[in-house]
Amino acid sequence: MTQPPAERRRPSASTIIAAVLIVILAVFTVVGAVTVFQLREPVTEQGERTEVLYLATLTISFIVFFVVTAGIIWAIFRYRRTGPEMPQQVHGSSALEFTWTVIPILILVALFVPSLILVLDLKTPPDDEDVALTIEAIGHQWWWEFDYPEEGIRIQATPPNYDDLEPPALVVPVGQTVLIRVRSTDVVHSFSAPNTLYKIQAIPGNVNEMHMKVEKAGTYLGQCYQFCGLRHSDMLFVLDAREEADFQSWLREEQAKQGVAPPQQHVEAAGD
Ligand SMILES: [Cu+2]
């Protein structure tokens, strides 16, 4: 069935449909990657490193997703069955099988190594002399209590007024490493402020630690992320990161309010 050359060069309807679908797929992939798949803006040094790893993983995942899906679309439309005859049957291809084994291995290793390094880093407690402030975050049904043992103050030590709920503030100085010791007095809770890109469980009879250095002053929403009963959704808090002077004046004010005497300056700038 010889066709005139001019006829043969014109793409078939199914090729055009496949090309249009692949372009739409490309647009959705890119728009999705830069919008709904983006994280909250990280405000801690640790969060920034987490974001870099996340973006690398996201980029690789979306490239794989696009290539595989575009290939399927192309195969469906370009090689659809048009007649009764069987297409050429191929059994085995060492080159192809080698390629589709080696490329995923390389991708997984390339993602695993930096992930492991980051996780170990986040899980390794900082040296004592690097810790400027230690805070105990205690989960209760249903509120967060924040104790500053060295400073002698406690924030929200008693149940809040749920009719006029004002989430307790976890006040920290910016640019300094803060160690947070997370525990629970009753059931399992989960402690997180999304802008830290980190989450840690509060488990009865156990102390979980996390550390962070907030880089940007501001207030950021935090909450319990483990369903823990009736008022789980009321377990809110505010991560309130302040410049050193501002933090110190807040501290003195709280110490005076809570009758801690004499007010002392416990938090000193620690070396990096
Ligand atoms: Cu909860």
PDB file of all heavy atoms in Angstrom, residues 88-109:
ATOM      1  N   GLN A  88       4.992  -7.308  15.467  1.00  0.00           N
ATOM      2  CA  GLN A  88       6.217  -8.079  15.684  1.00  0.00           C
ATOM      3  C   GLN A  88       6.385  -8.371  17.174  1.00  0.00           C
ATOM      4  O   GLN A  88       6.227  -7.492  18.013  1.00  0.00           O
ATOM      5  CB  GLN A  88       7.402  -7.257  15.174  1.00  0.00           C
ATOM      6  CG  GLN A  88       8.709  -8.035  15.188  1.00  0.00           C
ATOM      7  CD  GLN A  88       9.907  -7.108  15.168  1.00  0.00           C
ATOM      8  OE1 GLN A  88       9.778  -5.913  14.880  1.00  0.00           O
ATOM      9  NE2 GLN A  88      11.070  -7.653  15.468  1.00  0.00           N
ATOM     10  N   GLN A  89       6.652  -9.632  17.518  1.00  0.00           N
ATOM     11  CA  GLN A  89       6.804 -10.022  18.921  1.00  0.00           C
ATOM     12  C   GLN A  89       8.285 -10.051  19.300  1.00  0.00           C
ATOM     13  O   GLN A  89       9.090 -10.660  18.606  1.00  0.00           O
ATOM     14  CB  GLN A  89       6.191 -11.412  19.144  1.00  0.00           C
ATOM     15  CG  GLN A  89       4.718 -11.497  18.788  1.00  0.00           C
ATOM     16  CD  GLN A  89       3.843 -10.611  19.670  1.00  0.00           C
ATOM     17  OE1 GLN A  89       3.804 -10.778  20.871  1.00  0.00           O
ATOM     18  NE2 GLN A  89       3.156  -9.652  19.058  1.00  0.00           N
ATOM     19  N   VAL A  90       8.619  -9.380  20.420  1.00  0.00           N
ATOM     20  CA  VAL A  90      10.023  -9.323  20.855  1.00  0.00           C
ATOM     21  C   VAL A  90      10.147 -10.025  22.204  1.00  0.00           C
ATOM     22  O   VAL A  90       9.364  -9.754  23.114  1.00  0.00           O
ATOM     23  CB  VAL A  90      10.492  -7.858  20.989  1.00  0.00           C
ATOM     24  CG1 VAL A  90      11.942  -7.804  21.450  1.00  0.00           C
ATOM     25  CG2 VAL A  90      10.319  -7.125  19.674  1.00  0.00           C
ATOM     26  N   HIS A  91      11.091 -10.948  22.319  1.00  0.00           N
ATOM     27  CA  HIS A  91      11.294 -11.641  23.592  1.00  0.00           C
ATOM     28  C   HIS A  91      12.690 -11.346  24.118  1.00  0.00           C
ATOM     29  O   HIS A  91      13.672 -11.815  23.570  1.00  0.00           O
ATOM     30  CB  HIS A  91      11.097 -13.154  23.418  1.00  0.00           C
ATOM     31  CG  HIS A  91       9.707 -13.510  23.015  1.00  0.00           C
ATOM     32  ND1 HIS A  91       8.654 -13.554  23.901  1.00  0.00           N
ATOM     33  CD2 HIS A  91       9.170 -13.799  21.797  1.00  0.00           C
ATOM     34  CE1 HIS A  91       7.545 -13.870  23.263  1.00  0.00           C
ATOM     35  NE2 HIS A  91       7.833 -14.020  21.978  1.00  0.00           N
ATOM     36  N   GLY A  92      12.748 -10.541  25.189  1.00  0.00           N
ATOM     37  CA  GLY A  92      14.030 -10.281  25.836  1.00  0.00           C
ATOM     38  C   GLY A  92      14.881  -9.267  25.101  1.00  0.00           C
ATOM     39  O   GLY A  92      14.917  -9.234  23.871  1.00  0.00           O
ATOM     40  N   SER A  93      15.503  -8.393  25.904  1.00  0.00           N
ATOM     41  CA  SER A  93      16.457  -7.437  25.351  1.00  0.00           C
ATOM     42  C   SER A  93      17.418  -7.089  26.472  1.00  0.00           C
ATOM     43  O   SER A  93      17.049  -6.392  27.418  1.00  0.00           O
ATOM     44  CB  SER A  93      15.742  -6.182  24.849  1.00  0.00           C
ATOM     45  OG  SER A  93      16.687  -5.142  24.692  1.00  0.00           O
ATOM     46  N   SER A  94      18.619  -7.629  26.400  1.00  0.00           N
ATOM     47  CA  SER A  94      19.577  -7.427  27.495  1.00  0.00           C
ATOM     48  C   SER A  94      19.864  -5.945  27.715  1.00  0.00           C
ATOM     49  O   SER A  94      19.912  -5.475  28.854  1.00  0.00           O
ATOM     50  CB  SER A  94      20.884  -8.158  27.193  1.00  0.00           C
ATOM     51  OG  SER A  94      20.632  -9.531  27.141  1.00  0.00           O
ATOM     52  N   ALA A  95      20.019  -5.208  26.622  1.00  0.00           N
ATOM     53  CA  ALA A  95      20.353  -3.784  26.751  1.00  0.00           C
ATOM     54  C   ALA A  95      19.241  -3.049  27.494  1.00  0.00           C
ATOM     55  O   ALA A  95      19.483  -2.291  28.437  1.00  0.00           O
ATOM     56  CB  ALA A  95      20.571  -3.181  25.372  1.00  0.00           C
ATOM     57  N   LEU A  96      17.990  -3.323  27.094  1.00  0.00           N
ATOM     58  CA  LEU A  96      16.845  -2.647  27.703  1.00  0.00           C
ATOM     59  C   LEU A  96      16.710  -3.032  29.181  1.00  0.00           C
ATOM     60  O   LEU A  96      16.521  -2.183  30.053  1.00  0.00           O
ATOM     61  CB  LEU A  96      15.585  -3.047  26.932  1.00  0.00           C
ATOM     62  CG  LEU A  96      14.483  -1.999  26.833  1.00  0.00           C
ATOM     63  CD1 LEU A  96      15.026  -0.704  26.268  1.00  0.00           C
ATOM     64  CD2 LEU A  96      13.353  -2.533  25.949  1.00  0.00           C
ATOM     65  N   GLU A  97      16.818  -4.336  29.457  1.00  0.00           N
ATOM     66  CA  GLU A  97      16.648  -4.798  30.838  1.00  0.00           C
ATOM     67  C   GLU A  97      17.752  -4.262  31.739  1.00  0.00           C
ATOM     68  O   GLU A  97      17.518  -3.884  32.894  1.00  0.00           O
ATOM     69  CB  GLU A  97      16.612  -6.334  30.874  1.00  0.00           C
ATOM     70  CG  GLU A  97      15.299  -6.875  30.326  1.00  0.00           C
ATOM     71  CD  GLU A  97      15.378  -8.332  29.916  1.00  0.00           C
ATOM     72  OE1 GLU A  97      16.328  -9.015  30.343  1.00  0.00           O
ATOM     73  OE2 GLU A  97      14.490  -8.775  29.156  1.00  0.00           O
ATOM     74  N   PHE A  98      18.962  -4.207  31.199  1.00  0.00           N
ATOM     75  CA  PHE A  98      20.078  -3.655  31.963  1.00  0.00           C
ATOM     76  C   PHE A  98      19.806  -2.181  32.285  1.00  0.00           C
ATOM     77  O   PHE A  98      19.949  -1.732  33.417  1.00  0.00           O
ATOM     78  CB  PHE A  98      21.372  -3.805  31.147  1.00  0.00           C
ATOM     79  CG  PHE A  98      22.588  -3.302  31.856  1.00  0.00           C
ATOM     80  CD1 PHE A  98      23.196  -4.061  32.852  1.00  0.00           C
ATOM     81  CD2 PHE A  98      23.133  -2.055  31.541  1.00  0.00           C
ATOM     82  CE1 PHE A  98      24.320  -3.592  33.510  1.00  0.00           C
ATOM     83  CE2 PHE A  98      24.251  -1.580  32.195  1.00  0.00           C
ATOM     84  CZ  PHE A  98      24.848  -2.355  33.184  1.00  0.00           C
ATOM     85  N   THR A  99      19.339  -1.451  31.280  1.00  0.00           N
ATOM     86  CA  THR A  99      19.090  -0.015  31.460  1.00  0.00           C
ATOM     87  C   THR A  99      18.013   0.231  32.514  1.00  0.00           C
ATOM     88  O   THR A  99      18.189   1.044  33.419  1.00  0.00           O
ATOM     89  CB  THR A  99      18.650   0.610  30.119  1.00  0.00           C
ATOM     90  OG1 THR A  99      19.612   0.255  29.134  1.00  0.00           O
ATOM     91  CG2 THR A  99      18.554   2.117  30.220  1.00  0.00           C
ATOM     92  N   TRP A 100      16.882  -0.512  32.413  1.00  0.00           N
ATOM     93  CA  TRP A 100      15.799  -0.220  33.359  1.00  0.00           C
ATOM     94  C   TRP A 100      16.046  -0.817  34.739  1.00  0.00           C
ATOM     95  O   TRP A 100      15.259  -0.648  35.649  1.00  0.00           O
ATOM     96  CB  TRP A 100      14.426  -0.541  32.779  1.00  0.00           C
ATOM     97  CG  TRP A 100      13.992  -1.979  32.708  1.00  0.00           C
ATOM     98  CD1 TRP A 100      14.083  -2.936  33.677  1.00  0.00           C
ATOM     99  CD2 TRP A 100      13.341  -2.609  31.606  1.00  0.00           C
ATOM    100  NE1 TRP A 100      13.550  -4.106  33.245  1.00  0.00           N
ATOM    101  CE2 TRP A 100      13.077  -3.939  31.978  1.00  0.00           C
ATOM    102  CE3 TRP A 100      12.946  -2.162  30.340  1.00  0.00           C
ATOM    103  CZ2 TRP A 100      12.449  -4.835  31.115  1.00  0.00           C
ATOM    104  CZ3 TRP A 100      12.315  -3.053  29.505  1.00  0.00           C
ATOM    105  CH2 TRP A 100      12.081  -4.383  29.888  1.00  0.00           C
ATOM    106  N   THR A 101      17.132  -1.538  34.891  1.00  0.00           N
ATOM    107  CA  THR A 101      17.536  -1.965  36.230  1.00  0.00           C
ATOM    108  C   THR A 101      18.540  -0.978  36.823  1.00  0.00           C
ATOM    109  O   THR A 101      18.441  -0.590  37.989  1.00  0.00           O
ATOM    110  CB  THR A 101      18.170  -3.373  36.177  1.00  0.00           C
ATOM    111  OG1 THR A 101      17.257  -4.254  35.536  1.00  0.00           O
ATOM    112  CG2 THR A 101      18.478  -3.887  37.569  1.00  0.00           C
ATOM    113  N   VAL A 102      19.489  -0.573  35.994  1.00  0.00           N
ATOM    114  CA  VAL A 102      20.585   0.266  36.508  1.00  0.00           C
ATOM    115  C   VAL A 102      20.108   1.693  36.822  1.00  0.00           C
ATOM    116  O   VAL A 102      20.453   2.251  37.869  1.00  0.00           O
ATOM    117  CB  VAL A 102      21.760   0.281  35.503  1.00  0.00           C
ATOM    118  CG1 VAL A 102      22.760   1.367  35.873  1.00  0.00           C
ATOM    119  CG2 VAL A 102      22.445  -1.079  35.503  1.00  0.00           C
ATOM    120  N   ILE A 103      19.278   2.264  35.957  1.00  0.00           N
ATOM    121  CA  ILE A 103      18.850   3.655  36.186  1.00  0.00           C
ATOM    122  C   ILE A 103      18.088   3.798  37.512  1.00  0.00           C
ATOM    123  O   ILE A 103      18.424   4.666  38.327  1.00  0.00           O
ATOM    124  CB  ILE A 103      18.038   4.194  34.980  1.00  0.00           C
ATOM    125  CG1 ILE A 103      18.987   4.372  33.786  1.00  0.00           C
ATOM    126  CG2 ILE A 103      17.360   5.523  35.323  1.00  0.00           C
ATOM    127  CD1 ILE A 103      18.318   4.851  32.517  1.00  0.00           C
ATOM    128  N   PRO A 104      17.088   2.926  37.800  1.00  0.00           N
ATOM    129  CA  PRO A 104      16.428   3.050  39.113  1.00  0.00           C
ATOM    130  C   PRO A 104      17.389   2.850  40.287  1.00  0.00           C
ATOM    131  O   PRO A 104      17.262   3.530  41.312  1.00  0.00           O
ATOM    132  CB  PRO A 104      15.372   1.943  39.087  1.00  0.00           C
ATOM    133  CG  PRO A 104      15.085   1.732  37.649  1.00  0.00           C
ATOM    134  CD  PRO A 104      16.394   1.951  36.947  1.00  0.00           C
ATOM    135  N   ILE A 105      18.351   1.934  40.136  1.00  0.00           N
ATOM    136  CA  ILE A 105      19.311   1.729  41.233  1.00  0.00           C
ATOM    137  C   ILE A 105      20.100   3.015  41.478  1.00  0.00           C
ATOM    138  O   ILE A 105      20.254   3.466  42.619  1.00  0.00           O
ATOM    139  CB  ILE A 105      20.266   0.553  40.907  1.00  0.00           C
ATOM    140  CG1 ILE A 105      19.503  -0.774  41.003  1.00  0.00           C
ATOM    141  CG2 ILE A 105      21.462   0.541  41.870  1.00  0.00           C
ATOM    142  CD1 ILE A 105      20.313  -1.988  40.575  1.00  0.00           C
ATOM    143  N   LEU A 106      20.558   3.632  40.399  1.00  0.00           N
ATOM    144  CA  LEU A 106      21.322   4.881  40.545  1.00  0.00           C
ATOM    145  C   LEU A 106      20.467   5.965  41.201  1.00  0.00           C
ATOM    146  O   LEU A 106      20.924   6.688  42.094  1.00  0.00           O
ATOM    147  CB  LEU A 106      21.819   5.360  39.172  1.00  0.00           C
ATOM    148  CG  LEU A 106      22.902   4.491  38.524  1.00  0.00           C
ATOM    149  CD1 LEU A 106      23.276   5.045  37.149  1.00  0.00           C
ATOM    150  CD2 LEU A 106      24.139   4.396  39.414  1.00  0.00           C
ATOM    151  N   ILE A 107      19.199   6.064  40.780  1.00  0.00           N
ATOM    152  CA  ILE A 107      18.314   7.091  41.354  1.00  0.00           C
ATOM    153  C   ILE A 107      18.115   6.833  42.844  1.00  0.00           C
ATOM    154  O   ILE A 107      18.223   7.744  43.675  1.00  0.00           O
ATOM    155  CB  ILE A 107      16.948   7.100  40.621  1.00  0.00           C
ATOM    156  CG1 ILE A 107      17.122   7.616  39.186  1.00  0.00           C
ATOM    157  CG2 ILE A 107      15.941   7.970  41.370  1.00  0.00           C
ATOM    158  CD1 ILE A 107      15.859   7.542  38.345  1.00  0.00           C
ATOM    159  N   LEU A 108      17.843   5.559  43.206  1.00  0.00           N
ATOM    160  CA  LEU A 108      17.579   5.250  44.614  1.00  0.00           C
ATOM    161  C   LEU A 108      18.807   5.497  45.483  1.00  0.00           C
ATOM    162  O   LEU A 108      18.700   6.038  46.581  1.00  0.00           O
ATOM    163  CB  LEU A 108      17.099   3.798  44.757  1.00  0.00           C
ATOM    164  CG  LEU A 108      15.695   3.542  44.192  1.00  0.00           C
ATOM    165  CD1 LEU A 108      15.316   2.080  44.336  1.00  0.00           C
ATOM    166  CD2 LEU A 108      14.659   4.411  44.889  1.00  0.00           C
ATOM    167  N   VAL A 109      19.975   5.127  44.979  1.00  0.00           N
ATOM    168  CA  VAL A 109      21.194   5.365  45.761  1.00  0.00           C
ATOM    169  C   VAL A 109      21.435   6.870  45.903  1.00  0.00           C
ATOM    170  O   VAL A 109      21.765   7.368  46.987  1.00  0.00           O
ATOM    171  CB  VAL A 109      22.411   4.669  45.103  1.00  0.00           C
ATOM    172  CG1 VAL A 109      23.710   5.100  45.774  1.00  0.00           C
ATOM    173  CG2 VAL A 109      22.259   3.152  45.193  1.00  0.00           C
TER     174      VAL A 109
END
